[in-house]
Amino acid sequence: MLRPAAPADSPALVALAAATGVFQPGEAEALLGGVLDDLHAGRLGDGHLARVWADGPDGPPLGWVYFAPTPKADGVWDLWWIGVAPAAQGRGVGGALLGAVEDHARAAGGRVLVVETSGTPAFDPVRRFYSARGYAAGGRVPDFYADGDDKVIYAKRLRGRV
Ligand SMILES: CC(C)(COP(=O)(O)OP(=O)(O)OC[C@H]1O[C@@H](n2cnc3c(N)ncnc32)[C@H](O)[C@@H]1OP(=O)(O)O)[C@@H](O)C(=O)NCCC(=O)NCCS
C-alpha cells in the first residue's frame, strides 16, 4: 500500500536509499536526510511530495519516491528520487510508485514527467525500467556525474497534446 511519507519514516528511508547502493557511504544521509527534513518542515515549496510503499499499514517502508512540479515550466514534474529495498525489487513496487507519481501529476494538470539517471552499465536495469514504462531518453550530458558517468534525461508525456 502507498501512503504519504511521515517524519518518523526518514531514518528508514535514508537507510533504504543507502541499501540500493546508488550512494557513497554517508551521502544518503547528507543528501536525502536533509531533503526529507526540509520537506516535512514545508521549506521546499508547494507540490513537493514523498510517498512510501509498505506491505501493510504497520509495515516498514519497502520503497519510496520523491517528486515535485518544476517551477521552470508549466505542467512539468520532476521525479527526484525512487528507490526500492534490494530484497523487494522486481516484484512491482517500483512500478506502483512510478504509476502513483504519474497519476498524481496528471490529476494536478501535469503534462510531462522528467527523470534523470546515470548512463553507466550498472544502471542498465534502471534505464530499462523507465523505457518499459513509456519514458524516452531525450538528452544526455556527457561526464555529468563523474568522468565517464553521463546523465541521461528521460521524459514521458502524461496526456495528449492540445
Ligand atoms: C529502479 C527501481 C526503483 C525499480 O523498482 P522495482 O520494484 O525493482 O521495479 P518493478 O518490480 O516495478 O519492475 C522491475 C523492472 O525494473 C527493472 N529492474 C531494475 N532494477 C531491478 C532489480 N534490481 N531487480 C529486478 N528488476 C529490476 C527490470 O527491468 C524490471 O523489468 P520487468 O518488469 O520488465 O521485468 C529499483 O530497482 C531500485 O530501487 N533501484 C536502485 C535505486 C535506483 O537506481 N533508483 C533510480 C535512480 S534514477
Side-chain angles (χ1 to χ4, degrees):
M1 59 173 286
L2 274 163
R3 58 174 172 78
D9 291 320
S10 293
L13 300 186
V14 170
L16 195 161
T20 63
V22 172
F23 297 101
Q24 299 298 318
E27 261 186 7
E29 175 59 44
L31 294 175
L32 293 174
V35 167
L36 287 166
D37 288 348
D38 287 346
L39 176 72
H40 293 307
R43 289 191 288 266
L44 293 180
D46 285 343
H48 286 247
L49 292 167
R51 296 272 186 267
V52 166
W53 175 275
D55 277 344
D58 301 320
L62 295 180
W64 68 285
V65 66
Y66 165 52
F67 59 104
T70 177
K72 298 175 190 160
D74 182 40
V76 179
W77 288 63
D78 290 313
L79 179 64
W80 285 111
W81 170 251
I82 184 168
V84 174
Q89 290 177 7
R91 63 173 174 92
V93 174
L97 286 163
L98 187 59
V101 173
E102 294 172 4
D103 289 346
H104 182 95
R106 196 180 288 112
R111 299 180 298 113
V112 176
L113 183 59
V114 176
V115 58
E116 300 173 354
T117 193
S118 165
T120 59
F123 280 77
D124 282 350
V126 177
R127 295 194 304 278
R128 279 201 303 277
F129 169 78
Y130 293 127
S131 296
R133 283 154 187 82
Y135 290 75
R140 189 175 192 106
V141 183
D143 302 322
F144 181 87
Y145 296 111
D147 286 351
D149 187 350
D150 300 353
K151 171 163 85 175
V152 185
I153 303 158
Y154 283 86
K156 177 177 178 174
R157 282 205 60 97
L158 299 173
R159 57 180 71 245
R161 288 184 176 80
V162 289

